[in-house]
Every structure is written in structure tokens, then in C-alpha cells.
Amino acid sequence: MADKTAVEPRRDRRHARHQATKREILDAAWKMVRDAGVNALSLRALARVVDMEPQSLYTYFDSKHSVYDHLFADGNRELLARFDRLEVSDDRRRALDAVARLFVTFAAEDQARYELLFLRTIPDFEPSPESYAIAVEVFKRGRSILTDVGLRTLEDFDLWTAVVSGLSSQQLANDPGGDRYIRLIDNAVAMFSEHVFGR
Amino acid sequence: MADKTAVEPRRDRRHARHQATKREILDAAWKMVRDAGVNALSLRALARVVDMEPQSLYTYFDSKHSVYDHLFADGNRELLARFDRLEVSDDRRRALDAVARLFVTFAAEDQARYELLFLRTIPDFEPSPESYAIAVEVFKRGRSILTDVGLRTLEDFDLWTAVVSGLSSQQLANDPGGDRYIRLIDNAVAMFSEHVFGR
DNA sequence: GTCTATATTTGGATAGAC
DNA sequence: GTCTATCCAAATATAGAC
């Protein structure tokens, strides 16, 4: 496929244009789900926002679920990128704190994204294998950081994810836009760390 | 209102019949949301199940949101009842364990109910004041148990709810029907208890 | 209290012209 | 790639007969 684009530059530009429009549609979709909730997304409304007829969206997406699928991939790519940018401290407590903060912040930023990525709230939607693969990468990356700082058993890892996702979901549910639970990260990490590693 | 029913017994029976049908509809609604997710509830489908025309449901509920509202109240009443049945041990660790187990079990039993009660996942739905009052009662009851066992600050309470809701949401998301996170309750309670109260 | 009839809106999706 | 035209199904909700 890469050779073709070298031979036919017009293809390239056409492709780029296509991708740009697709991106524009997805950005609009993000705005919609953020404003009204993941389950309030409709193709008609989406088309209106990007100033198209609803039918034209099918040039870019096979179905509504395909739009969701791209959002799902988007979100996971963003989270993965943040993990990749993370500098993991040698100090265990610092490292754990950074990971927790990264995740809870990511979650708290966007309720809709959190729902889409971590809860199964859209009837009949499940990510395509390609999109799911990104989510698996995210999981692996998170897990490997924690293994590096000394978290050895699955049980400890599960306890960790429970604490971090608990802070995230409580933040979103009880203090959206605030920092009531974000402020607890330090405390929570101390609790976890002391329990698993001792003082 | 109570005097009226005393004077007109027929009213009583009519009322009882009405309530029974209403209950039947709500039970069917529970089954639907459990099977297909909270957002997949439709009045048409609901009517089909209870063998009615969709329009007849309006005799019992003002709107679809009113159905959701009754489910919301149902769920909270059930949780409240379980709290009321709970015998709180004098031993702190035992008491905390019982509360955590009560909640996580309640959550794990029914994904849809959890979503309805604790996540905001239905576009535009919010509980009526009357239904919300029950949720507040639940909160108060949980909070008072924890205060009784020595949990004094809001911060500690928030940390507690984060841990418990974290176990719940992870159980539902990553091991529905299983006990991967339920098995961690003991461990999690130990962690929390040691951190807040010391050994 | 339940029905028929119907209004109204909205939704996802396809065919085919340009 | 975008449009017009259109389909079809489903949704919530109301009016009025029985």
C-alpha cells in the first residue's frame, strides 16, 4: 500500500483530505458525547454539527458503532501516549503516585471518555479487535510499570486498580469538575504502598 | 387520604390492583435492563412483555423517565433494607468487612442496577426529589455505621467509599459474574483499616 | 383501565444522481 | 465525496372510544 501512494500523489492528497474530514467528524462526536453523554450520540445531530447530510457520514464510517469504535481507539491512544510520556521515578512511592495521578486525572477530565473506555454502557457496542488491541497495550504498559516498581502478584495489581479506579469513579460521580478525590491520591498511594510493601 | 380508603373499600381494591400491575411492570423493566442494559429500555418492548399496548403503560407511569425513577427508588430501597438488616459487629474489622461485603455484593449482583443508582449514564434522567431522598437515606445509613466504628473525618470516609466502589466497579467491569475482586475485600479492608486506625 | 388510532419525532441506513 | 430522495423501523406520547 505504501508503494501506491508514492506512485500516485493525487491519491495521497485525496487520502489526506479524507482523513482530515474524518478527524473533524470525530472531534465533533467527542464534543457531543461530552456535552450530552455517550448514549446521546446520534448521526443526524452529528451531521448537523459538521454541516453535512447524515447520509454523507457513511462515506467515513460504516455505522454508528464504527464511530464509537473510533472514539474508543482515540481515547486509548491518548492514554497510551500519556503513559509513554511518563517518566517513572526510581522512588517507588513517587512512581506509584505518578501513575495514579496520571490515570485519575485522565478519568476526571472526561466522564464520557471514561464511560466509553472503561464501562460497558452502550447497548450492543463492543470495540473492534484493532481498537481493542490498543486497550490491551494500555493495560500492558500500566502493568509493566507496576511490575517494575515491585508489584509482583496479580492480587496486588487488582487491589491497585481497584483503588485507582475507585478514586476515578468517585471523582466523576460525586464531584465532577472538582478535586475532592484527586486530593486523596497521595493518601491512597501511601495506604496501598504501606500495605503491600510495608513502611 | 387514609380516611378515604376506610370509607370506600372498593377504592382500596382498585388501588391494590393498580399497585400490583405497576409492580409487575417494574419487575419486567428490571428484567429488561438486566438483560440488555439500562439504556436499552423501551416502552414498546416493555409493554410487549407485560402483554399490553405501549400506550396503556401511561396509566401507570407518566413517562419513560418515571419508570427509571421507580427503578431508582426500588434499588435504593433494597440497599437500605440490607443496611437495616445488617448486624454491626463490635469488632471494627469485622464491621468494616461486613459493610464492604454488603455493598460490593449488592453491586456485583446487578450491573444495570449499579449503573442506574451510582453512575449517570442515562441522558437527561435524574431522580425525582422523593426517590433521591431514599438515596440520601442510604448514604446517611452507611455513613453512620462508619462513624460508629470510629471513622471520623470526611477524608477517611471518602477514601473508604473509593476503595469499596473501586472493588465494585472492577468486579463488574473485569469479572462479571465472578469473584475476582470480591475475594479481595478482606485484603482491602485490612489495608484501609491499618492505614486509618493503625494495627 | 385498556384499547384503537394517530401524532410526532427521531433514529439508522440505502440507492442513485451529480 | 456529497447531495436528494427515500425507506424503514422504532421511539415517546396524546386523544378519545369502549
Side-chain angles (χ1 to χ4, degrees):
Chain A
M1 316 273 169
D3 28 328
K4 258 193 195 163
T5 61
V7 184
E8 303 185 51
R10 261 173 310 179
R11 279 267 159 104
D12 242 9
R13 261 187 289 164
R14 221 177 276 169
H15 183 74
R17 180 87 187 93
H18 183 87
Q19 289 308 109
T21 306
K22 198 165 173 178
R23 186 66 263 160
E24 194 190 331
I25 294 168
L26 286 173
D27 289 342
W30 273 121
K31 180 165 165 40
M32 285 188 58
V33 296
R34 254 183 251 122
D35 290 351
V38 270
N39 275 290
L41 180 68
S42 95
L43 297 185
R44 280 169 124 81
L46 180 55
R48 205 177 309 128
V49 171
V50 297
D51 207 38
M52 268 185 190
E53 293 305 309
Q55 303 87 327
S56 302
L57 293 175
Y58 287 86
T59 308
Y60 302 94
F61 304 96
D62 287 342
S63 67
K64 186 185 183 179
H65 274 16
S66 168
V67 176
Y68 279 129
D69 194 52
H70 281 77
L71 297 182
F72 181 87
D74 269 358
N76 278 293
R77 264 192 297 267
E78 170 63 20
L79 183 51
L80 191 58
R82 295 199 195 182
F83 268 123
D84 283 339
R85 281 200 298 273
L86 188 70
E87 291 186 36
V88 182
S89 167
D90 287 335
D91 181 65
R92 183 151 56 199
R93 271 284 293 279
R94 276 171 185 269
L96 289 175
D97 190 87
V99 173
R101 207 161 288 277
L102 170 59
F103 190 87
V104 179
T105 304
F106 178 81
E109 276 171 19
D110 191 334
Q111 156 106 48
R113 186 175 59 187
Y114 186 80
E115 233 177 272
L116 192 56
L117 268 57
F118 306 114
L119 306 172
R120 291 247 159 286
T121 184
I122 304 166
D124 298 327
F125 169 68
E126 42 179 349
S128 64
E130 308 88 70
S131 297
Y132 191 70
I134 308 174
V136 172
E137 269 316 300
V138 170
F139 178 83
K140 279 193 199 156
R141 185 90 182 85
R143 171 99 216 228
S144 95
I145 294 176
L146 291 172
T147 307
D148 287 350
V149 301
L151 215 65
R152 292 281 175 255
T153 70
L154 176 65
E155 197 174 309
D156 286 341
F157 183 68
D158 283 348
L159 185 59
W160 168 262
T161 61
V163 170
V164 172
S165 79
L167 289 169
S168 301
S169 65
Q170 288 292 94
Q171 180 60 55
L172 282 168
N174 300 334
D175 184 37
D179 70 343
R180 177 169 158 192
Y181 296 84
I182 290 174
R183 275 186 280 121
L184 295 181
I185 292 177
D186 224 40
N187 196 7
V189 168
M191 171 181 75
F192 177 81
S193 185
E194 282 161 18
H195 179 70
V196 173
F197 304 111
R199 289 172 191 273
Chain B
M1 314 269 167
D3 31 325
K4 258 194 196 163
T5 59
V7 183
E8 303 184 49
R10 260 174 311 180
R11 278 266 160 106
D12 242 9
R13 261 188 288 164
R14 221 178 274 171
H15 183 72
R17 180 86 188 95
H18 184 87
Q19 289 308 108
T21 307
K22 198 165 173 178
R23 187 65 263 160
E24 195 191 331
I25 294 167
L26 287 172
D27 289 342
W30 273 121
K31 181 166 165 39
M32 285 188 57
V33 297
R34 256 183 248 121
D35 290 349
V38 269
N39 274 290
L41 181 68
S42 95
L43 297 184
R44 278 169 125 74
L46 180 56
R48 208 177 306 129
V49 172
V50 297
D51 207 39
M52 267 183 191
E53 293 305 308
Q55 301 88 326
S56 301
L57 294 175
Y58 287 84
T59 307
Y60 302 93
F61 303 95
D62 286 342
S63 67
K64 186 184 183 180
H65 275 14
S66 168
V67 176
Y68 279 129
D69 194 52
H70 281 77
L71 297 182
F72 181 87
D74 269 357
N76 277 294
R77 264 191 296 265
E78 170 63 21
L79 183 52
L80 192 58
R82 295 198 195 183
F83 268 123
D84 283 340
R85 282 200 298 273
L86 187 71
E87 292 186 35
V88 181
S89 167
D90 287 336
D91 181 66
R92 181 150 59 199
R93 271 285 291 281
R94 275 171 186 269
L96 288 175
D97 191 87
V99 173
R101 207 163 289 277
L102 169 60
F103 190 88
V104 179
T105 303
F106 177 82
E109 276 170 19
D110 191 333
Q111 157 104 50
R113 186 176 58 188
Y114 186 79
E115 234 177 272
L116 191 57
L117 267 58
F118 305 114
L119 307 171
R120 291 247 160 284
T121 183
I122 303 165
D124 299 325
F125 169 68
E126 43 179 350
S128 64
E130 307 89 70
S131 298
Y132 191 70
I134 307 173
V136 172
E137 268 316 299
V138 169
F139 178 84
K140 277 192 200 158
R141 185 89 182 85
R143 172 98 216 229
S144 96
I145 295 176
L146 292 171
T147 307
D148 287 349
V149 300
L151 214 65
R152 291 282 176 254
T153 71
L154 176 65
E155 198 174 309
D156 287 340
F157 183 68
D158 283 348
L159 185 60
W160 168 262
T161 62
V163 170
V164 172
S165 80
L167 289 169
S168 301
S169 65
Q170 289 292 95
Q171 180 60 54
L172 283 168
N174 299 334
D175 183 38
D179 69 343
R180 179 169 158 192
Y181 296 85
I182 290 174
R183 274 186 280 122
L184 295 180
I185 292 176
D186 223 42
N187 196 7
V189 168
M191 171 180 76
F192 177 81
S193 185
E194 282 162 16
H195 179 69
V196 172
F197 303 110
R199 288 172 192 276

